[in-house]
Amino acid sequence: MKKLIILGLSVFSLAFGEVSDRQLKFAALSADIAMPNLENFKLMAKSSLENGVKINELKELIAHDAAYLGFPRALNALNALNEVTKGQNYELGKAREIKPDSDFYAKGVQMLSMLLGQKAPELLQNDATFDFMLKSYLFGFLFDSHILSPLDREIIVISVLSSLDGVEAQLKSHLKIAKNLGLEISDFNKITSNLEPKTAKNLLKNLKEIR
């Protein structure tokens, strides 16, 4: 089922339903980057590429992970992906279109409002610098690419945050967003079945606390 959400002049299409095999792969790959376990990441990336996932989808996944893990770890994952794809004929897929003249702050406000199901706060974290960074870069620039859907991205994020210690508040926030986008307990159980036990336990523990 699809739901159209109109915010300002933008229309967002969201797919509701069971979490897909592709999204389960994204969750596992992002957890490997977060831990990090790049040898397992390479095995998972190879398997994913052999089963329909595109190179540029994985690059977009890594780019989104960079917002939560930092550029050094993301660049290591990108190098690992390049090792997997070197000399191979995996499908590249659609490339991100860079739009340097876009108002990414305004787009970020729209996207965050859609994700939250309500108007975005005027000033995130009560700080102008972090408000601009989060809205323009994270929710504006990164989400502006349609290579991955908003739900794809939120599944990626909850997998990353479930792999880390000390980020429970952020994990709970993104679990709420994932629920807003249509994920149900059965979907979260499928996601955790593809994660390391500690990561899965952390995700389910925090999910229980927001019900």
Side-chain angles (χ1 to χ4, degrees):
M1 182 174 81
K2 290 194 177 219
K3 179 179 180 181
L4 291 180
I5 297 180
I6 303 176
L7 292 168
L9 297 177
S10 298
V11 180
F12 302 99
S13 177
L14 301 177
F16 286 79
E18 292 187 358
V19 64
S20 69
D21 288 341
R22 172 176 165 275
Q23 289 167 334
L24 294 178
K25 290 181 176 69
F26 289 166
L29 286 160
S30 289
D32 282 336
I33 295 171
M35 284 189 283
N37 185 344
L38 292 184
E39 290 306 311
N40 200 59
F41 169 80
K42 287 190 283 188
L43 292 174
M44 283 289 301
K46 183 176 185 295
S47 174
S48 297
L49 292 165
E50 290 172 350
N51 288 278
V53 174
K54 314 292 192 301
I55 292 174
N56 280 331
E57 288 179 324
L58 295 187
K59 288 185 175 180
E60 194 70 23
L61 176 151
I62 294 169
H64 206 90
D65 283 348
Y68 296 87
L69 296 170
F71 284 105
R73 194 163 289 183
L75 290 172
N76 287 343
L78 181 60
N79 289 337
L81 177 61
N82 288 337
E83 289 179 28
V84 172
T85 60
K86 185 176 180 180
Q88 303 299 316
N89 292 315
Y90 299 125
E91 188 173 351
L92 185 60
K94 184 179 179 181
R96 170 186 275 271
E97 181 183 355
I98 304 297
K99 306 170 186 176
D101 296 328
S102 292
D103 185 349
F104 288 117
Y105 186 85
K107 289 186 174 186
V109 171
Q110 289 186 332
M111 180 56 66
L112 182 56
S113 298
M114 183 273 289
L115 295 172
L116 296 175
Q118 60 187 34
K119 184 178 179 181
E122 292 292 331
L123 188 65
L124 292 175
Q125 301 300 311
N126 198 33
D127 183 270
T129 298
F130 277 88
D131 179 78
F132 187 83
M133 289 168 58
L134 290 166
K135 288 175 180 171
S136 62
Y137 170 59
L138 177 54
F139 295 107
F141 175 72
L142 289 179
F143 274 86
D144 193 48
S145 168
H146 298 300
I147 295 172
L148 300 180
S149 72
L151 183 55
D152 291 338
R153 294 178 187 279
E154 287 306 313
I155 289 172
I156 287 167
V157 172
I158 61 177
S159 176
V160 166
L161 295 177
S162 296
S163 304
L164 304 176
D165 294 325
V167 292
E168 289 78 13
Q170 292 78 16
L171 175 55
K172 288 184 175 73
S173 293
H174 284 279
L175 287 168
K176 289 178 182 177
I177 290 174
K179 291 179 73 175
N180 288 345
L181 295 181
L183 289 195
E184 299 180 353
I185 189 63
S186 59
D187 298 306
F188 289 111
N189 285 333
K190 286 183 180 179
I191 292 170
T192 56
S193 70
N194 282 262
L195 301 177
E196 293 291 329
K198 180 181 177 182
T199 301
K201 182 179 179 181
N202 194 28
L203 192 160
L204 292 175
K205 174 181 178 293
N206 283 276
L207 178 64
K208 184 178 180 180
E209 292 174 1
I210 64 167
R211 287 184 204 169

PDB file of all heavy atoms in Angstrom, residues 93-126:
ATOM      1  N   GLY A  93      23.204   0.815 -10.984  1.00  0.00           N
ATOM      2  CA  GLY A  93      21.993   1.480 -10.521  1.00  0.00           C
ATOM      3  C   GLY A  93      22.055   2.981 -10.715  1.00  0.00           C
ATOM      4  O   GLY A  93      23.063   3.546 -11.141  1.00  0.00           O
ATOM      5  N   LYS A  94      20.961   3.640 -10.379  1.00  0.00           N
ATOM      6  CA  LYS A  94      20.855   5.086 -10.545  1.00  0.00           C
ATOM      7  C   LYS A  94      21.792   5.814  -9.597  1.00  0.00           C
ATOM      8  O   LYS A  94      21.897   5.477  -8.422  1.00  0.00           O
ATOM      9  CB  LYS A  94      19.413   5.522 -10.289  1.00  0.00           C
ATOM     10  CG  LYS A  94      19.162   7.002 -10.521  1.00  0.00           C
ATOM     11  CD  LYS A  94      17.697   7.345 -10.270  1.00  0.00           C
ATOM     12  CE  LYS A  94      17.451   8.837 -10.473  1.00  0.00           C
ATOM     13  NZ  LYS A  94      16.035   9.195 -10.221  1.00  0.00           N
ATOM     14  N   ALA A  95      22.485   6.831 -10.121  1.00  0.00           N
ATOM     15  CA  ALA A  95      23.398   7.620  -9.299  1.00  0.00           C
ATOM     16  C   ALA A  95      22.655   8.778  -8.645  1.00  0.00           C
ATOM     17  O   ALA A  95      21.635   9.253  -9.155  1.00  0.00           O
ATOM     18  CB  ALA A  95      24.543   8.158 -10.150  1.00  0.00           C
ATOM     19  N   ARG A  96      23.151   9.212  -7.501  1.00  0.00           N
ATOM     20  CA  ARG A  96      22.576  10.387  -6.834  1.00  0.00           C
ATOM     21  C   ARG A  96      22.772  11.616  -7.712  1.00  0.00           C
ATOM     22  O   ARG A  96      23.852  11.852  -8.244  1.00  0.00           O
ATOM     23  CB  ARG A  96      23.254  10.609  -5.484  1.00  0.00           C
ATOM     24  CG  ARG A  96      22.894  11.947  -4.826  1.00  0.00           C
ATOM     25  CD  ARG A  96      23.693  12.174  -3.567  1.00  0.00           C
ATOM     26  NE  ARG A  96      23.076  11.545  -2.411  1.00  0.00           N
ATOM     27  CZ  ARG A  96      22.175  12.141  -1.623  1.00  0.00           C
ATOM     28  NH1 ARG A  96      21.758  13.360  -1.907  1.00  0.00           N
ATOM     29  NH2 ARG A  96      21.684  11.508  -0.583  1.00  0.00           N
ATOM     30  N   GLU A  97      21.720  12.406  -7.834  1.00  0.00           N
ATOM     31  CA  GLU A  97      21.809  13.676  -8.549  1.00  0.00           C
ATOM     32  C   GLU A  97      22.141  14.771  -7.540  1.00  0.00           C
ATOM     33  O   GLU A  97      21.372  15.020  -6.605  1.00  0.00           O
ATOM     34  CB  GLU A  97      20.489  13.986  -9.244  1.00  0.00           C
ATOM     35  CG  GLU A  97      20.509  15.281 -10.041  1.00  0.00           C
ATOM     36  CD  GLU A  97      19.163  15.609 -10.664  1.00  0.00           C
ATOM     37  OE1 GLU A  97      18.240  14.777 -10.550  1.00  0.00           O
ATOM     38  OE2 GLU A  97      19.041  16.703 -11.245  1.00  0.00           O
ATOM     39  N   ILE A  98      23.280  15.418  -7.707  1.00  0.00           N
ATOM     40  CA  ILE A  98      23.692  16.485  -6.806  1.00  0.00           C
ATOM     41  C   ILE A  98      23.043  17.787  -7.257  1.00  0.00           C
ATOM     42  O   ILE A  98      23.154  18.178  -8.425  1.00  0.00           O
ATOM     43  CB  ILE A  98      25.227  16.645  -6.783  1.00  0.00           C
ATOM     44  CG1 ILE A  98      25.891  15.313  -6.401  1.00  0.00           C
ATOM     45  CG2 ILE A  98      25.639  17.752  -5.821  1.00  0.00           C
ATOM     46  CD1 ILE A  98      25.558  14.811  -5.017  1.00  0.00           C
ATOM     47  N   LYS A  99      22.361  18.455  -6.341  1.00  0.00           N
ATOM     48  CA  LYS A  99      21.646  19.695  -6.651  1.00  0.00           C
ATOM     49  C   LYS A  99      22.195  20.820  -5.765  1.00  0.00           C
ATOM     50  O   LYS A  99      21.611  21.143  -4.724  1.00  0.00           O
ATOM     51  CB  LYS A  99      20.151  19.510  -6.411  1.00  0.00           C
ATOM     52  CG  LYS A  99      19.549  18.317  -7.153  1.00  0.00           C
ATOM     53  CD  LYS A  99      18.136  18.047  -6.695  1.00  0.00           C
ATOM     54  CE  LYS A  99      17.575  16.772  -7.315  1.00  0.00           C
ATOM     55  NZ  LYS A  99      16.230  16.449  -6.798  1.00  0.00           N
ATOM     56  N   PRO A 100      23.316  21.417  -6.172  1.00  0.00           N
ATOM     57  CA  PRO A 100      23.979  22.398  -5.304  1.00  0.00           C
ATOM     58  C   PRO A 100      23.166  23.647  -5.023  1.00  0.00           C
ATOM     59  O   PRO A 100      23.405  24.337  -4.027  1.00  0.00           O
ATOM     60  CB  PRO A 100      25.260  22.737  -6.085  1.00  0.00           C
ATOM     61  CG  PRO A 100      24.963  22.374  -7.500  1.00  0.00           C
ATOM     62  CD  PRO A 100      24.050  21.207  -7.428  1.00  0.00           C
ATOM     63  N   ASP A 101      22.188  23.952  -5.872  1.00  0.00           N
ATOM     64  CA  ASP A 101      21.400  25.165  -5.675  1.00  0.00           C
ATOM     65  C   ASP A 101      20.126  24.925  -4.870  1.00  0.00           C
ATOM     66  O   ASP A 101      19.322  25.842  -4.687  1.00  0.00           O
ATOM     67  CB  ASP A 101      21.031  25.779  -7.040  1.00  0.00           C
ATOM     68  CG  ASP A 101      22.264  26.234  -7.815  1.00  0.00           C
ATOM     69  OD1 ASP A 101      23.243  26.641  -7.164  1.00  0.00           O
ATOM     70  OD2 ASP A 101      22.245  26.149  -9.051  1.00  0.00           O
ATOM     71  N   SER A 102      19.923  23.719  -4.396  1.00  0.00           N
ATOM     72  CA  SER A 102      18.712  23.405  -3.641  1.00  0.00           C
ATOM     73  C   SER A 102      18.743  24.033  -2.253  1.00  0.00           C
ATOM     74  O   SER A 102      19.801  24.192  -1.648  1.00  0.00           O
ATOM     75  CB  SER A 102      18.555  21.892  -3.502  1.00  0.00           C
ATOM     76  OG  SER A 102      18.286  21.287  -4.739  1.00  0.00           O
ATOM     77  N   ASP A 103      17.558  24.356  -1.756  1.00  0.00           N
ATOM     78  CA  ASP A 103      17.417  24.846  -0.380  1.00  0.00           C
ATOM     79  C   ASP A 103      17.239  23.625   0.515  1.00  0.00           C
ATOM     80  O   ASP A 103      16.122  23.216   0.827  1.00  0.00           O
ATOM     81  CB  ASP A 103      16.215  25.785  -0.268  1.00  0.00           C
ATOM     82  CG  ASP A 103      16.093  26.424   1.111  1.00  0.00           C
ATOM     83  OD1 ASP A 103      16.812  25.975   2.040  1.00  0.00           O
ATOM     84  OD2 ASP A 103      15.287  27.355   1.260  1.00  0.00           O
ATOM     85  N   PHE A 104      18.359  23.027   0.902  1.00  0.00           N
ATOM     86  CA  PHE A 104      18.289  21.787   1.666  1.00  0.00           C
ATOM     87  C   PHE A 104      17.722  21.994   3.062  1.00  0.00           C
ATOM     88  O   PHE A 104      17.172  21.068   3.644  1.00  0.00           O
ATOM     89  CB  PHE A 104      19.674  21.130   1.734  1.00  0.00           C
ATOM     90  CG  PHE A 104      20.117  20.541   0.427  1.00  0.00           C
ATOM     91  CD1 PHE A 104      21.232  21.023  -0.241  1.00  0.00           C
ATOM     92  CD2 PHE A 104      19.410  19.503  -0.151  1.00  0.00           C
ATOM     93  CE1 PHE A 104      21.635  20.478  -1.449  1.00  0.00           C
ATOM     94  CE2 PHE A 104      19.797  18.950  -1.365  1.00  0.00           C
ATOM     95  CZ  PHE A 104      20.914  19.447  -2.017  1.00  0.00           C
ATOM     96  N   TYR A 105      17.859  23.187   3.595  1.00  0.00           N
ATOM     97  CA  TYR A 105      17.259  23.450   4.918  1.00  0.00           C
ATOM     98  C   TYR A 105      15.737  23.341   4.827  1.00  0.00           C
ATOM     99  O   TYR A 105      15.105  22.666   5.644  1.00  0.00           O
ATOM    100  CB  TYR A 105      17.668  24.822   5.439  1.00  0.00           C
ATOM    101  CG  TYR A 105      17.187  25.086   6.855  1.00  0.00           C
ATOM    102  CD1 TYR A 105      17.936  24.656   7.950  1.00  0.00           C
ATOM    103  CD2 TYR A 105      15.976  25.731   7.093  1.00  0.00           C
ATOM    104  CE1 TYR A 105      17.493  24.873   9.248  1.00  0.00           C
ATOM    105  CE2 TYR A 105      15.524  25.956   8.385  1.00  0.00           C
ATOM    106  CZ  TYR A 105      16.285  25.530   9.463  1.00  0.00           C
ATOM    107  OH  TYR A 105      15.845  25.741  10.747  1.00  0.00           O
ATOM    108  N   ALA A 106      15.139  23.986   3.820  1.00  0.00           N
ATOM    109  CA  ALA A 106      13.684  23.927   3.657  1.00  0.00           C
ATOM    110  C   ALA A 106      13.231  22.496   3.381  1.00  0.00           C
ATOM    111  O   ALA A 106      12.204  22.039   3.911  1.00  0.00           O
ATOM    112  CB  ALA A 106      13.250  24.851   2.524  1.00  0.00           C
ATOM    113  N   LYS A 107      13.997  21.780   2.561  1.00  0.00           N
ATOM    114  CA  LYS A 107      13.656  20.383   2.285  1.00  0.00           C
ATOM    115  C   LYS A 107      13.749  19.542   3.552  1.00  0.00           C
ATOM    116  O   LYS A 107      12.946  18.635   3.776  1.00  0.00           O
ATOM    117  CB  LYS A 107      14.578  19.822   1.208  1.00  0.00           C
ATOM    118  CG  LYS A 107      14.321  20.369  -0.183  1.00  0.00           C
ATOM    119  CD  LYS A 107      15.167  19.660  -1.229  1.00  0.00           C
ATOM    120  CE  LYS A 107      14.796  20.120  -2.626  1.00  0.00           C
ATOM    121  NZ  LYS A 107      15.492  19.371  -3.687  1.00  0.00           N
ATOM    122  N   GLY A 108      14.750  19.847   4.381  1.00  0.00           N
ATOM    123  CA  GLY A 108      14.906  19.116   5.630  1.00  0.00           C
ATOM    124  C   GLY A 108      13.749  19.344   6.583  1.00  0.00           C
ATOM    125  O   GLY A 108      13.303  18.420   7.276  1.00  0.00           O
ATOM    126  N   VAL A 109      13.260  20.558   6.644  1.00  0.00           N
ATOM    127  CA  VAL A 109      12.098  20.865   7.489  1.00  0.00           C
ATOM    128  C   VAL A 109      10.888  20.066   7.023  1.00  0.00           C
ATOM    129  O   VAL A 109      10.155  19.480   7.828  1.00  0.00           O
ATOM    130  CB  VAL A 109      11.796  22.378   7.471  1.00  0.00           C
ATOM    131  CG1 VAL A 109      10.467  22.670   8.175  1.00  0.00           C
ATOM    132  CG2 VAL A 109      12.923  23.160   8.140  1.00  0.00           C
ATOM    133  N   GLN A 110      10.683  20.029   5.707  1.00  0.00           N
ATOM    134  CA  GLN A 110       9.563  19.262   5.158  1.00  0.00           C
ATOM    135  C   GLN A 110       9.703  17.772   5.464  1.00  0.00           C
ATOM    136  O   GLN A 110       8.734  17.115   5.874  1.00  0.00           O
ATOM    137  CB  GLN A 110       9.477  19.458   3.644  1.00  0.00           C
ATOM    138  CG  GLN A 110       9.008  20.838   3.220  1.00  0.00           C
ATOM    139  CD  GLN A 110       8.812  20.926   1.722  1.00  0.00           C
ATOM    140  OE1 GLN A 110       9.475  20.214   0.958  1.00  0.00           O
ATOM    141  NE2 GLN A 110       7.925  21.786   1.273  1.00  0.00           N
ATOM    142  N   MET A 111      10.896  17.239   5.229  1.00  0.00           N
ATOM    143  CA  MET A 111      11.102  15.814   5.449  1.00  0.00           C
ATOM    144  C   MET A 111      10.941  15.453   6.915  1.00  0.00           C
ATOM    145  O   MET A 111      10.300  14.445   7.260  1.00  0.00           O
ATOM    146  CB  MET A 111      12.489  15.403   4.950  1.00  0.00           C
ATOM    147  CG  MET A 111      12.818  13.925   5.143  1.00  0.00           C
ATOM    148  SD  MET A 111      11.616  12.792   4.398  1.00  0.00           S
ATOM    149  CE  MET A 111      11.860  13.139   2.659  1.00  0.00           C
ATOM    150  N   LEU A 112      11.519  16.238   7.809  1.00  0.00           N
ATOM    151  CA  LEU A 112      11.403  15.940   9.230  1.00  0.00           C
ATOM    152  C   LEU A 112       9.950  16.002   9.679  1.00  0.00           C
ATOM    153  O   LEU A 112       9.509  15.171  10.486  1.00  0.00           O
ATOM    154  CB  LEU A 112      12.263  16.918  10.031  1.00  0.00           C
ATOM    155  CG  LEU A 112      12.288  16.714  11.548  1.00  0.00           C
ATOM    156  CD1 LEU A 112      12.740  15.298  11.907  1.00  0.00           C
ATOM    157  CD2 LEU A 112      13.197  17.749  12.204  1.00  0.00           C
ATOM    158  N   SER A 113       9.189  16.963   9.163  1.00  0.00           N
ATOM    159  CA  SER A 113       7.763  17.044   9.504  1.00  0.00           C
ATOM    160  C   SER A 113       7.030  15.784   9.063  1.00  0.00           C
ATOM    161  O   SER A 113       6.179  15.255   9.776  1.00  0.00           O
ATOM    162  CB  SER A 113       7.133  18.279   8.848  1.00  0.00           C
ATOM    163  OG  SER A 113       7.720  19.469   9.326  1.00  0.00           O
ATOM    164  N   MET A 114       7.365  15.297   7.859  1.00  0.00           N
ATOM    165  CA  MET A 114       6.739  14.077   7.365  1.00  0.00           C
ATOM    166  C   MET A 114       7.089  12.881   8.242  1.00  0.00           C
ATOM    167  O   MET A 114       6.229  12.086   8.605  1.00  0.00           O
ATOM    168  CB  MET A 114       7.168  13.827   5.915  1.00  0.00           C
ATOM    169  CG  MET A 114       6.517  12.623   5.260  1.00  0.00           C
ATOM    170  SD  MET A 114       7.396  11.077   5.551  1.00  0.00           S
ATOM    171  CE  MET A 114       8.836  11.331   4.542  1.00  0.00           C
ATOM    172  N   LEU A 115       8.352  12.773   8.614  1.00  0.00           N
ATOM    173  CA  LEU A 115       8.793  11.640   9.418  1.00  0.00           C
ATOM    174  C   LEU A 115       8.153  11.642  10.807  1.00  0.00           C
ATOM    175  O   LEU A 115       7.792  10.590  11.338  1.00  0.00           O
ATOM    176  CB  LEU A 115      10.318  11.655   9.549  1.00  0.00           C
ATOM    177  CG  LEU A 115      11.124  11.442   8.263  1.00  0.00           C
ATOM    178  CD1 LEU A 115      12.602  11.679   8.524  1.00  0.00           C
ATOM    179  CD2 LEU A 115      10.906  10.051   7.691  1.00  0.00           C
ATOM    180  N   LEU A 116       8.026  12.828  11.382  1.00  0.00           N
ATOM    181  CA  LEU A 116       7.462  12.955  12.730  1.00  0.00           C
ATOM    182  C   LEU A 116       5.942  12.872  12.733  1.00  0.00           C
ATOM    183  O   LEU A 116       5.332  12.606  13.761  1.00  0.00           O
ATOM    184  CB  LEU A 116       7.897  14.280  13.360  1.00  0.00           C
ATOM    185  CG  LEU A 116       9.392  14.462  13.627  1.00  0.00           C
ATOM    186  CD1 LEU A 116       9.666  15.875  14.135  1.00  0.00           C
ATOM    187  CD2 LEU A 116       9.903  13.434  14.626  1.00  0.00           C
ATOM    188  N   GLY A 117       5.333  13.138  11.573  1.00  0.00           N
ATOM    189  CA  GLY A 117       3.878  13.179  11.521  1.00  0.00           C
ATOM    190  C   GLY A 117       3.310  14.451  12.088  1.00  0.00           C
ATOM    191  O   GLY A 117       2.114  14.526  12.407  1.00  0.00           O
ATOM    192  N   GLN A 118       4.129  15.458  12.226  1.00  0.00           N
ATOM    193  CA  GLN A 118       3.710  16.756  12.751  1.00  0.00           C
ATOM    194  C   GLN A 118       4.756  17.796  12.362  1.00  0.00           C
ATOM    195  O   GLN A 118       5.830  17.445  11.875  1.00  0.00           O
ATOM    196  CB  GLN A 118       3.582  16.724  14.278  1.00  0.00           C
ATOM    197  CG  GLN A 118       4.884  16.380  14.977  1.00  0.00           C
ATOM    198  CD  GLN A 118       4.707  16.174  16.473  1.00  0.00           C
ATOM    199  OE1 GLN A 118       3.677  15.674  16.917  1.00  0.00           O
ATOM    200  NE2 GLN A 118       5.698  16.553  17.252  1.00  0.00           N
ATOM    201  N   LYS A 119       4.442  19.062  12.568  1.00  0.00           N
ATOM    202  CA  LYS A 119       5.364  20.123  12.193  1.00  0.00           C
ATOM    203  C   LYS A 119       6.691  19.969  12.928  1.00  0.00           C
ATOM    204  O   LYS A 119       6.731  19.732  14.130  1.00  0.00           O
ATOM    205  CB  LYS A 119       4.753  21.489  12.511  1.00  0.00           C
ATOM    206  CG  LYS A 119       5.603  22.660  12.060  1.00  0.00           C
ATOM    207  CD  LYS A 119       4.920  23.987  12.359  1.00  0.00           C
ATOM    208  CE  LYS A 119       5.804  25.146  11.927  1.00  0.00           C
ATOM    209  NZ  LYS A 119       5.161  26.462  12.234  1.00  0.00           N
ATOM    210  N   ALA A 120       7.782  20.112  12.190  1.00  0.00           N
ATOM    211  CA  ALA A 120       9.111  19.982  12.798  1.00  0.00           C
ATOM    212  C   ALA A 120       9.355  21.104  13.800  1.00  0.00           C
ATOM    213  O   ALA A 120       8.881  22.231  13.607  1.00  0.00           O
ATOM    214  CB  ALA A 120      10.184  20.029  11.712  1.00  0.00           C
ATOM    215  N   PRO A 121      10.075  20.823  14.879  1.00  0.00           N
ATOM    216  CA  PRO A 121      10.415  21.877  15.836  1.00  0.00           C
ATOM    217  C   PRO A 121      11.145  23.031  15.160  1.00  0.00           C
ATOM    218  O   PRO A 121      11.906  22.833  14.214  1.00  0.00           O
ATOM    219  CB  PRO A 121      11.336  21.158  16.832  1.00  0.00           C
ATOM    220  CG  PRO A 121      10.974  19.714  16.717  1.00  0.00           C
ATOM    221  CD  PRO A 121      10.609  19.511  15.281  1.00  0.00           C
ATOM    222  N   GLU A 122      10.911  24.243  15.640  1.00  0.00           N
ATOM    223  CA  GLU A 122      11.548  25.422  15.056  1.00  0.00           C
ATOM    224  C   GLU A 122      13.060  25.386  15.232  1.00  0.00           C
ATOM    225  O   GLU A 122      13.814  25.806  14.351  1.00  0.00           O
ATOM    226  CB  GLU A 122      10.972  26.695  15.697  1.00  0.00           C
ATOM    227  CG  GLU A 122       9.524  26.977  15.347  1.00  0.00           C
ATOM    228  CD  GLU A 122       9.324  27.337  13.893  1.00  0.00           C
ATOM    229  OE1 GLU A 122      10.259  27.894  13.285  1.00  0.00           O
ATOM    230  OE2 GLU A 122       8.234  27.039  13.365  1.00  0.00           O
ATOM    231  N   LEU A 123      13.514  24.901  16.393  1.00  0.00           N
ATOM    232  CA  LEU A 123      14.950  24.904  16.687  1.00  0.00           C
ATOM    233  C   LEU A 123      15.337  23.581  17.325  1.00  0.00           C
ATOM    234  O   LEU A 123      15.080  23.352  18.508  1.00  0.00           O
ATOM    235  CB  LEU A 123      15.302  26.070  17.624  1.00  0.00           C
ATOM    236  CG  LEU A 123      16.791  26.327  17.879  1.00  0.00           C
ATOM    237  CD1 LEU A 123      17.487  26.764  16.589  1.00  0.00           C
ATOM    238  CD2 LEU A 123      16.968  27.394  18.954  1.00  0.00           C
ATOM    239  N   LEU A 124      15.945  22.699  16.555  1.00  0.00           N
ATOM    240  CA  LEU A 124      16.345  21.393  17.081  1.00  0.00           C
ATOM    241  C   LEU A 124      17.471  21.538  18.089  1.00  0.00           C
ATOM    242  O   LEU A 124      18.406  22.312  17.896  1.00  0.00           O
ATOM    243  CB  LEU A 124      16.797  20.481  15.936  1.00  0.00           C
ATOM    244  CG  LEU A 124      15.714  20.029  14.955  1.00  0.00           C
ATOM    245  CD1 LEU A 124      16.342  19.229  13.825  1.00  0.00           C
ATOM    246  CD2 LEU A 124      14.641  19.212  15.650  1.00  0.00           C
ATOM    247  N   GLN A 125      17.401  20.774  19.165  1.00  0.00           N
ATOM    248  CA  GLN A 125      18.426  20.738  20.211  1.00  0.00           C
ATOM    249  C   GLN A 125      18.654  22.116  20.840  1.00  0.00           C
ATOM    250  O   GLN A 125      19.657  22.334  21.518  1.00  0.00           O
ATOM    251  CB  GLN A 125      19.749  20.198  19.642  1.00  0.00           C
ATOM    252  CG  GLN A 125      19.663  18.812  19.048  1.00  0.00           C
ATOM    253  CD  GLN A 125      19.214  17.784  20.068  1.00  0.00           C
ATOM    254  OE1 GLN A 125      19.733  17.718  21.173  1.00  0.00           O
ATOM    255  NE2 GLN A 125      18.236  16.963  19.703  1.00  0.00           N
ATOM    256  N   ASN A 126      17.717  23.036  20.614  1.00  0.00           N
ATOM    257  CA  ASN A 126      17.831  24.393  21.176  1.00  0.00           C
ATOM    258  C   ASN A 126      19.158  25.042  20.806  1.00  0.00           C
ATOM    259  O   ASN A 126      19.749  25.784  21.600  1.00  0.00           O
ATOM    260  CB  ASN A 126      17.658  24.366  22.699  1.00  0.00           C
ATOM    261  CG  ASN A 126      17.333  25.730  23.277  1.00  0.00           C
ATOM    262  OD1 ASN A 126      16.662  26.534  22.625  1.00  0.00           O
ATOM    263  ND2 ASN A 126      17.816  26.002  24.476  1.00  0.00           N
TER     264      ASN A 126
END
